[in-house]
Amino acid sequence: MYALVDGNNFYVSCERVFRPSLNGRPVVVLSNNDGCAIARSNEAKALGIKMGAPWFQIRHMEETHGLVALSANFTLYGDMSDRMMSLAAGLGPTQEVYSIDESFIGLQGVRGDLTKRSQAIRDRINQWVGIPCGIGIGHTKTLAKLANYIAKTAERKPGSYPAELAQVCNLTALPAQDLDDVLQATLVEEVWGVGRKIAAQLHEGGVHTVLDLARLDPATVRRRWSVVLERTVRELQGMQCIDLDDAPTPKKEIACTRSFGHAVTELPPLVEAVSEFASRAAEKLRKQGSLASQLLVFCHTSPFRPGPRFNRSIVVPLRRPTADTGKLVWAAAAGMRRIYEPGYKMAKAGVMLLDLVPGSVLQGELDLEEEDHRDRTKLMVALDTLNQRYGKGTVHSGATGGTNKGKDWGMKQERRTPQYTTRWEDVPVARA
């Protein structure tokens, strides 16, 4: 049995914790460089603002509907997520953090009324962190995900489902007929793993609701569609097919890319940018215990702006697999110097670490030609520890040039709120 704890409109909810004046107002959080809406309050959704709506298309609503738009504050959101997840873990013995605002909790062995226990956890998160949550409970992860959708929908749209399912929806506690009624009231496209194309095919085949899908023969689903959809059907029927992952599978590639806030034409800022990206990628690499054998660096102009086009990349092979920030930064800078040409307005650049291998398989070797063959593992551990404790970029490679603030290649974040929980200078002050 599983529970899914999900923060409602998470990015917007994080902003409202520190700015209560935003409650009840239409609010959107914008993507990198303030490009498009990536989070919306219920009030913004009611205005018809779609996920991913370009900012220039909805900007007029500031004047006409009082819309508030904020730049993404990912440092704040990440810290608030850690606080929320630490409380959600009290619901059961095992936890899988699925995304920044979602967490699966294994409920095996938990006694008592699971609905009341979940409501208590939800109230604690709301009181201690300020994030409203929906909690769904089901015999499988797919049913828990569906229950979470029902919990949030019942709260946001009264009348769509029974009021007792709002905030916390426990499908395992419903009588068989009530469960069928709930599944019959839910469209098939709301099921986790059913994409837009598959949903259209299901509708064409007369499968319109979750109950219709759950009653299909799994073997027939496999022959007509795929093994993935068959697994989804079995999960809806109560058969566990997706285990709880205590540790995510190591990534086969790690990328760090950004669009620039302003066009970049000179080489030095491009070198600074890819050096910063390589540093961030190296941190992710060490976190999963891997080493990179090759590094790809690229940059290109915008396909939407007038002017000459430029789009080049290069793969830089490393002497031996490494997770050393210094060596990866050197490779990224060398690659950028190799592909750069003057006369172009660069809009985006990035770094990708390729051919990843587990750190445990690296063998020592005699390499008298390599100037610096010292083991810098402890140095990298110290680097990550300091940055984790005092904030990203506290200790950084000199090639990055320090903080991104005010740089030509830095992201456009004209509407970003303070980092209330991670910077002493931004901690809110209460005055009598």
Side-chain angles (χ1 to χ4, degrees), residues 263 265 300-310 343-347:
T265 59
H300 62 74
T301 55
S302 172
F304 307 106
R305 296 175 183 170
R309 296 283 188 265
F310 181 93
Y344 296 94
K345 297 180 179 180
M346 303 301 181

Side-chain angles (χ1 to χ4, degrees), residues 29 34 81 94 101 231 253 289 311 327:
V29 173
D34 298 341
S81 173
T94 55
D101 61 342
R231 183 179 62 181
E253 298 176 351
N311 188 346
K327 295 177 181 178

Side-chain angles (χ1 to χ4, degrees), residues 10-11 14 73-83 100:
F10 184 71
Y11 292 171
C14 289
N73 191 342
F74 293 118
T75 302
L76 173 65
Y77 307 152
D79 184 70
M80 295 294 283
S81 173
D82 289 341
R83 297 168 188 240
I100 193 171

Side-chain angles (χ1 to χ4, degrees), residues 31-344:
S31 62
N32 292 340
N33 295 312
D34 298 341
C36 61
I38 57 174
R40 305 158 295 158
S41 66
N42 291 338
E43 297 79 6
K45 295 175 184 177
L47 293 178
I49 298 175
K50 304 296 183 182
M51 179 66 76
W55 171 233
F56 73 88
Q57 291 183 358
I58 60 175
R59 188 166 191 163
H60 65 280
M61 290 187 177
E62 282 187 302
E63 299 294 334
T64 59
H65 296 84
L67 177 66
V68 177
L70 302 173
S71 300
N73 191 342
F74 293 118
T75 302
L76 173 65
Y77 307 152
D79 184 70
M80 295 294 283
S81 173
D82 289 341
R83 297 168 188 240
M84 186 183 89
M85 297 308 174
S86 66
L87 296 178
L91 184 56
T94 55
Q95 180 182 37
E96 175 191 345
V97 178
Y98 180 65
S99 66
I100 193 171
D101 61 342
E102 293 179 288
S103 175
F104 283 104
I105 307 295
L107 300 177
Q108 292 79 1
V110 179
R111 299 179 179 179
D113 190 324
L114 293 178
T115 303
K116 290 183 179 179
R117 182 182 179 89
S118 298
Q119 186 64 58
I121 291 294
R122 182 187 186 276
D123 293 341
R124 183 179 299 172
I125 293 173
N126 199 13
Q127 180 181 4
W128 291 11
V129 184
I131 303 296
C133 297
I135 299 180
I137 302 174
H139 286 296
T140 66
K141 292 174 74 173
T142 299
L143 285 171
K145 186 87 168 176
L146 181 66
N148 181 268
Y149 165 79
I150 294 171
K152 293 195 295 184
T153 304
E155 181 179 19
R156 187 169 63 246
K157 301 177 181 178
S160 302
Y161 297 95
E164 60 268 20
L165 299 183
Q167 302 176 356
V168 175
C169 174
N170 186 355
L171 295 181
T172 67
L174 294 180
Q177 185 57 53
D178 290 349
L179 177 60
D180 286 350
D181 292 341
V182 169
L183 299 184
Q184 184 66 36
T186 309
L187 293 176
V188 70
E189 49 262 42
E190 304 302 339
V191 176
W192 185 34
V194 176
R196 188 175 304 174
K197 292 183 179 180
I198 296 296
Q201 294 174 15
L202 290 171
H203 281 298
E204 291 177 0
V207 181
H208 302 290
T209 69
V210 178
L211 185 62
D212 295 335
L213 182 61
R215 287 178 173 175
L216 292 179
D217 174 53
T220 302
V221 171
R222 179 173 185 171
R223 287 194 302 267
R224 184 171 178 180
W225 282 282
S226 67
V227 175
V228 175
L229 189 59
E230 177 201 10
R231 183 179 62 181
T232 298
V233 171
R234 292 187 184 278
E235 286 248 328
L236 291 175
Q237 294 173 349
M239 183 184 301
Q240 182 179 322
C241 300
I242 307 174
D243 295 328
L244 195 69
D245 294 328
D246 296 325
T249 303
K251 297 180 180 179
K252 297 181 179 180
E253 298 176 351
I254 293 178
C256 185
T257 68
R258 289 289 185 275
S259 295
F260 302 139
H262 305 280
V264 178
T265 59
E266 303 296 329
L267 177 60
L270 288 173
V271 171
E272 286 186 358
V274 296
S275 297
E276 173 69 21
F277 302 156
S279 297
R280 296 182 184 181
E283 184 177 350
K284 296 178 182 179
L285 185 68
R286 292 191 293 271
K287 189 173 183 180
Q288 73 172 32
S290 298
L291 306 172
S293 304
Q294 301 183 84
L295 180 147
L296 180 145
V297 60
F298 74 88
C299 66
H300 62 74
T301 55
S302 172
F304 307 106
R305 296 175 183 170
R309 296 283 188 265
F310 181 93
N311 188 346
R312 289 190 62 185
S313 64
I314 188 172
V315 174
V316 181
L318 302 171
R319 181 182 293 271
R320 57 179 175 177
T322 183
D324 190 308
T325 293
K327 295 177 181 178
L328 294 173
V329 165
W330 179 89
M336 178 56 68
R337 294 189 181 98
R338 182 68 179 270
I339 65 175
Y340 170 77
E341 292 183 13
Y344 296 94

Side-chain angles (χ1 to χ4, degrees), residues 372-405:
D372 187 2
H373 55 273
R374 294 170 297 174
D375 183 1
R376 305 209 306 174
T377 303
K378 293 183 179 180
L379 176 61
M380 294 299 106
V381 171
L383 176 71
D384 294 340
T385 301
L386 289 171
N387 286 332
Q388 183 177 4
R389 181 173 181 179
Y390 297 106
K392 292 183 178 180
T394 301
V395 182
H396 54 84
S397 170
T400 66
T403 177
N404 300 347
K405 188 175 181 181

